[in-house]
Amino acid sequence: MIRILVLLILISVTDLCAQSAERVESEYKLGIPNDEAESLWKYLQSKPFLSKLRTEYDLKTVASIEDFVDVYYDDANQNLYKQKVGLRYRSRFIKDTLIKQLVQLKTPLLADGVARTETKYEIKKSKDKNDIYARHKLLKYIKKKDRRNLNYQLAKFGSESLKMQPEVKLRQTRSRIYITDSIASLATITLDEVTNLKFPFQRYTEMELELNEIRYTESDTSGKKKMERFNEKLRNGLLESFPSLYQDQTPKYNKMKQMIDGSWLSKAYEYRMWIALSLILGLALYLLLFRK
């Protein structure tokens, strides 16, 4: 109970500091075979691994399991997908309790994908009958004061908020370890089991080793380098302990969309009404010819 309370305080403080702010996130993304997720999570909670973190770096850790429902948006030309930009409406849960809702825009900062810029937008808490965009799939969530900023950001990638439509909806079960040192939050180790919420429910598992974005953004060059060295050493140790892990910086939206676009079952589901209509017409034609 105390751990959950501490975790909720950490989440609330982090969110209050980061709302509607542009931050730089630095993270390593590691691909994981789906059948190894359970054993890897057990290893991350094991005494040998945590003891090494606590003694070698004088760190404290808190573990949690959270759930997210993410709706990713894009325009008809898929400009965001092509440029590895992620625009999502996120709902965050802990033990079926809704903790936070927000809109996030993640844009590439470096070619290697390790560092990205993230802008967070608060969700509108009440409906405005005079808002002409109250029924728009995305803008209904965005406060009026933030819409200009969102359009400014999207214009860099040849798009605008009015063109945004839901493209992919997925659910994440996120097993996470929060890491803090004597100063403040340092990093998180996250194990994400990601599932497409549409048939045929594709899934993949990945790990994120992410430096605390607020601290990283506000640190000077020396502080950033020190945090990066910690994350790099953490990554190298995990790759050595689990040879099946591999670095893959592909954003979640791109990774899931690639799986969907490459699946004939997804295509069949998308055109299910036309397929059903064709089958009915085919059956009717067959019966007509058969009777004759």
Side-chain angles (χ1 to χ4, degrees), residues 25-149:
E25 67 170 27
S26 179
E27 66 179 9
Y28 289 115
K29 293 166 68 73
L30 305 178
I32 306 166
N34 289 332
D35 57 0
E36 291 194 22
E38 186 176 350
S39 60
L40 183 54
W41 178 237
K42 287 180 179 179
Y43 172 76
L44 294 174
Q45 296 181 93
S46 66
K47 288 185 178 180
F49 177 76
L50 293 178
S51 296
K52 185 178 180 180
L53 278 182
R54 292 165 183 162
T55 56
E56 188 172 344
Y57 298 100
D58 191 23
L59 301 174
K60 296 180 181 179
T61 61
V62 176
S64 90
I65 297 179
E66 307 165 29
D67 283 295
F68 297 82
V69 175
D70 292 330
V71 180
Y72 283 88
Y73 294 80
D74 211 337
D75 57 30
N77 294 324
Q78 299 184 353
N79 276 306
L80 303 191
Y81 170 76
K82 294 172 184 175
Q83 298 173 82
K84 295 186 176 180
V85 175
L87 176 61
R88 68 189 177 200
Y89 165 58
R90 162 165 285 185
S91 301
R92 184 179 190 178
F93 302 85
I94 295 181
K95 291 188 174 181
D96 297 324
T97 300
L98 180 62
I99 302 299
K100 183 72 177 177
Q101 291 174 296
L102 74 162
V103 172
Q104 296 169 296
L105 176 67
K106 293 194 175 189
T107 58
L109 186 61
L110 298 175
D112 60 7
V114 174
R116 307 181 81 200
T117 301
E118 180 181 29
T119 306
K120 296 182 180 181
Y121 301 97
E122 290 182 324
I123 297 295
K124 289 177 62 176
K125 294 182 179 178
S126 59
K127 294 182 179 180
D128 183 356
K129 294 181 180 178
N130 298 319
D131 185 1
I132 61 174
Y133 301 121
R135 294 188 178 182
H136 188 272
K137 297 290 187 180
L138 173 64
L139 289 176
K140 64 182 179 181
Y141 299 122
I142 308 292
K143 293 183 177 180
K144 291 181 180 179
K145 68 182 181 68
D146 291 327
R147 291 175 184 171
R148 182 175 296 180
N149 176 271

Side-chain angles (χ1 to χ4, degrees), residues 39-292:
S39 60
L40 183 54
W41 178 237
K42 287 180 179 179
Y43 172 76
L44 294 174
Q45 296 181 93
S46 66
K47 288 185 178 180
F49 177 76
L50 293 178
S51 296
K52 185 178 180 180
L53 278 182
R54 292 165 183 162
T55 56
E56 188 172 344
Y57 298 100
D58 191 23
L59 301 174
K60 296 180 181 179
T61 61
V62 176
S64 90
I65 297 179
E66 307 165 29
D67 283 295
F68 297 82
V69 175
D70 292 330
V71 180
Y72 283 88
Y73 294 80
D74 211 337
D75 57 30
N77 294 324
Q78 299 184 353
N79 276 306
L80 303 191
Y81 170 76
K82 294 172 184 175
Q83 298 173 82
K84 295 186 176 180
V85 175
L87 176 61
R88 68 189 177 200
Y89 165 58
R90 162 165 285 185
S91 301
R92 184 179 190 178
F93 302 85
I94 295 181
K95 291 188 174 181
D96 297 324
T97 300
L98 180 62
I99 302 299
K100 183 72 177 177
Q101 291 174 296
L102 74 162
V103 172
Q104 296 169 296
L105 176 67
K106 293 194 175 189
T107 58
L109 186 61
L110 298 175
D112 60 7
V114 174
R116 307 181 81 200
T117 301
E118 180 181 29
T119 306
K120 296 182 180 181
Y121 301 97
E122 290 182 324
I123 297 295
K124 289 177 62 176
K125 294 182 179 178
S126 59
K127 294 182 179 180
D128 183 356
K129 294 181 180 178
N130 298 319
D131 185 1
I132 61 174
Y133 301 121
R135 294 188 178 182
H136 188 272
K137 297 290 187 180
L138 173 64
L139 289 176
K140 64 182 179 181
Y141 299 122
I142 308 292
K143 293 183 177 180
K144 291 181 180 179
K145 68 182 181 68
D146 291 327
R147 291 175 184 171
R148 182 175 296 180
N149 176 271
L150 177 59
N151 269 324
Y152 170 76
Q153 299 287 354
L154 291 175
K156 300 175 186 177
F157 304 96
S159 194
E160 59 178 302
S161 58
L162 278 174
K163 295 180 179 179
M164 294 295 114
Q165 292 294 322
E167 185 67 28
V168 171
K169 186 175 183 179
L170 54 82
R171 183 184 186 93
Q172 296 183 67
T173 298
R174 168 166 285 186
S175 304
R176 171 178 274 182
I177 295 176
Y178 290 85
I179 304 173
T180 59
D181 60 12
S182 58
I183 301 174
S185 297
L186 174 62
T188 55
I189 303 174
T190 300
L191 194 64
D192 286 332
E193 296 178 75
V194 185
T195 305
N196 176 21
L197 285 179
K198 286 186 178 180
F199 181 84
F201 313 111
Q202 294 95 336
R203 62 185 294 264
Y204 64 82
T205 306
E206 70 175 24
M207 175 184 285
E208 293 181 356
L209 310 176
E210 182 179 359
L211 297 173
N212 181 273
E213 62 192 45
I214 299 175
R215 182 172 172 181
Y216 183 78
T217 301
E218 297 176 351
S219 294
D220 57 19
T221 302
S222 176
K224 282 184 170 67
K225 292 294 182 184
K226 185 176 180 181
M227 293 176 74
E228 289 168 1
R229 285 195 296 270
F230 166 79
N231 219 23
E232 184 177 359
K233 190 170 183 180
L234 182 60
R235 177 202 63 179
N236 293 341
L238 287 168
L239 289 174
E240 184 178 341
S241 299
F242 287 82
S244 59
L245 297 181
Y246 56 94
Q247 188 168 338
D248 180 3
Q249 297 296 138
T250 306
K252 282 186 170 66
Y253 168 49
N254 289 67
K255 189 177 292 187
M256 182 58 77
K257 185 162 173 54
Q258 287 169 11
M259 296 177 73
I260 293 171
D261 290 347
S263 168
W264 69 268
L265 285 173
S266 289
K267 289 183 174 64
Y269 181 77
E270 183 179 355
Y271 297 106
R272 61 191 181 279
M273 296 301 295
W274 291 106
I275 293 173
L277 181 60
S278 299
L279 290 173
I280 292 171
L281 290 174
L283 179 60
L285 181 61
Y286 171 80
L287 291 175
L288 182 63
L289 293 174
F290 180 77
R291 285 181 178 179
K292 286 185 177 181

